[in-house]
Amino acid sequence: MAIELGLGVFTGEWHPELGLTHGQTLRTDISQVQAAEAAGLDSVWVSEHHFHDSHFVGSLAASCAAMLQATERITVGYGLALAPLHDPIRMAEDAAFLDVLSDGRFTLGLGMGYRDIEYDGFATVRRHRVGRTEELIEICRQAWAGAEVDHTGRHYTRRGIRVSPVPARPGGPPIMLGGHAPAAIDRAARLADRFCMDAGTDADAYESGEGANRGIVERVRLVLAQYREALARHGKDTVAPPLSLNVGGFLHPDGADAAWQIVEESYLLTRRVYGDWYGLDPAEVDRWRPGLLSPQEVARRRGELLLGSVDDVLPVLQEVADLVGENLHVMFRSKYPLVSDEHTRLSIQQLGILRRRLRGEE
């Protein structure tokens, strides 16, 4: 397959200061998905979070169904669903429905999450997240085969039931697993069809208290080596590993300064959210605002993103593509809260040009 490029992430969150109702915000999201399809992008991605002041929409299946019904060609996927929070039969049914509705344009992306409030809200516990995720995948695979589910595990027992509808694709939609620890990379190689690396938030750096991302290319190089080793351990092809790269950025034809001017407030908002979720020093995190950072700190934040024109961003992604091979799917996070619809659509148009250039089509 050729290198692909998609748009992420749609969170459904609502910020009243934009002057829109939550319903208007959600409908704007769907129209932006249509714009992504018109621009030639390969995919759009919906993420899951719950119980936050930003009013995230947690109903992923409903969000994806609306997007799939509004489009004809583009893939719509979970990027990512928090697997331990979901009943496996409900997940299997929802994913099968989305696959049938779209004639095979759905991807089931799964992560495990780390926020205790989300585990508490769904009456489960964080220490069970690995087992619940692995059993959910096993049950989904069985359910999508069209036979009766027969699973007895530590966390779930589901027997003698048959899930409907049967997915459009034999074996069901592809499963993509996220994560950053070596065990997560091995799990993706063992159980999933694809591994998703989050270059938008450097979890290793945040967990160590740094609160800032390292360079994208070097991070890809390190993770890719681990992923190839894991694929080899499980007897799978390592030449062109199926890797999705979720990377933050914003495109503007006038260059990096113009892009940063548009996205600065929104991007720093997302950093404060993640800084809080990772338990960083609240006083330090609260400083991450426009006008409060030193020039050196601003430069560091800008360096975490792929900013600028197509010509600015293309060499970085070409370097990543040279490392990964043709099975690379770039999930370009160019959908940010507080950024206007007009500016988001401009970035989407530029992403369409970037995709064609990356694939050598112009």
Side-chain angles (χ1 to χ4, degrees), residues 14 16 97 117 197 231 234 266 303 347:
W14 177 52
F97 171 82
I117 189 173
M197 174 186 171
L231 289 168
H234 298 290
S266 298
S347 188

Side-chain angles (χ1 to χ4, degrees), residues 13-52:
E13 62 190 278
W14 177 52
H15 296 271
E17 56 267 41
L18 291 178
L20 301 175
T21 67
H22 205 163
Q24 289 171 324
T25 299
L26 297 176
R27 289 187 287 274
T28 298
D29 286 354
I30 293 171
S31 70
Q32 290 172 358
V33 169
Q34 293 173 318
E37 181 172 69
L41 300 187
D42 297 291
S43 63
V44 291
W45 301 91
V46 176
S47 72
E48 177 179 15
H49 282 296
H50 305 269
F51 320 127
H52 191 268

Side-chain angles (χ1 to χ4, degrees), residues 249-326:
F250 204 81
L251 298 186
H252 195 288
D254 293 338
D257 289 344
W260 178 250
Q261 184 177 5
I262 290 169
V263 81
E264 178 184 17
E265 181 180 8
S266 298
Y267 182 65
L268 292 179
L269 170 63
T270 68
R271 297 306 89 192
R272 293 196 303 275
V273 168
Y274 280 101
D276 173 59
W277 289 353
Y278 278 93
L280 303 188
D281 180 2
E284 172 62 22
V285 169
D286 194 55
R287 289 184 54 254
W288 299 349
R289 299 177 185 273
L292 297 183
L293 299 181
S294 70
Q296 294 78 14
E297 289 171 320
V298 170
R300 187 181 187 190
R301 286 299 179 189
R302 287 180 55 156
E304 296 174 357
L305 297 169
L306 296 182
L307 294 171
S309 67
V310 172
D311 287 336
D312 293 328
V313 171
L314 182 61
V316 179
L317 291 184
Q318 284 179 326
E319 190 172 357
V320 171
D322 289 342
L323 288 172
V324 178
E326 63 180 10

Side-chain angles (χ1 to χ4, degrees), residues 5-7 10 31-44 73-74 249-254 262 308-311 332 334-335 340-358 362:
L5 191 147
L7 172 66
F10 287 85
S31 70
Q32 290 172 358
V33 169
Q34 293 173 318
E37 181 172 69
L41 300 187
D42 297 291
S43 63
V44 291
R73 175 195 55 80
I74 200 166
F250 204 81
L251 298 186
H252 195 288
D254 293 338
I262 290 169
S309 67
V310 172
D311 287 336
F332 203 99
S334 197
K335 169 67 176 171
S340 71
D341 180 48
E342 175 187 5
H343 286 135
T344 299
R345 288 173 181 272
L346 176 62
S347 188
I348 289 172
Q349 291 169 1
Q350 295 296 301
L351 281 171
I353 298 170
L354 176 63
R355 176 191 179 274
R356 295 192 294 274
R357 296 273 302 277
L358 191 60
E362 67 174 44

Side-chain angles (χ1 to χ4, degrees), residues 112 129-130 133-134 177-192 195 204 223 226-227 230-231 233-234:
M112 292 192 291
R129 61 182 186 164
V130 172
T133 297
E134 294 200 5
L177 274 178
H180 65 97
I185 296 172
D186 184 82
R187 188 177 307 113
R190 176 167 53 92
L191 297 177
F195 173 61
D204 287 330
V223 168
Q226 296 179 66
Y227 187 34
L231 289 168
R233 278 196 301 274
H234 298 290

Side-chain angles (χ1 to χ4, degrees), residues 92 96 138-150 160-172:
E138 168 63 23
I139 291 170
C140 283
R141 299 278 199 203
Q142 286 191 24
W144 296 337
E148 288 189 352
V149 174
D150 184 5
I161 52 177
R162 194 183 302 269
V163 165
S164 180
V166 176
R169 285 166 290 187

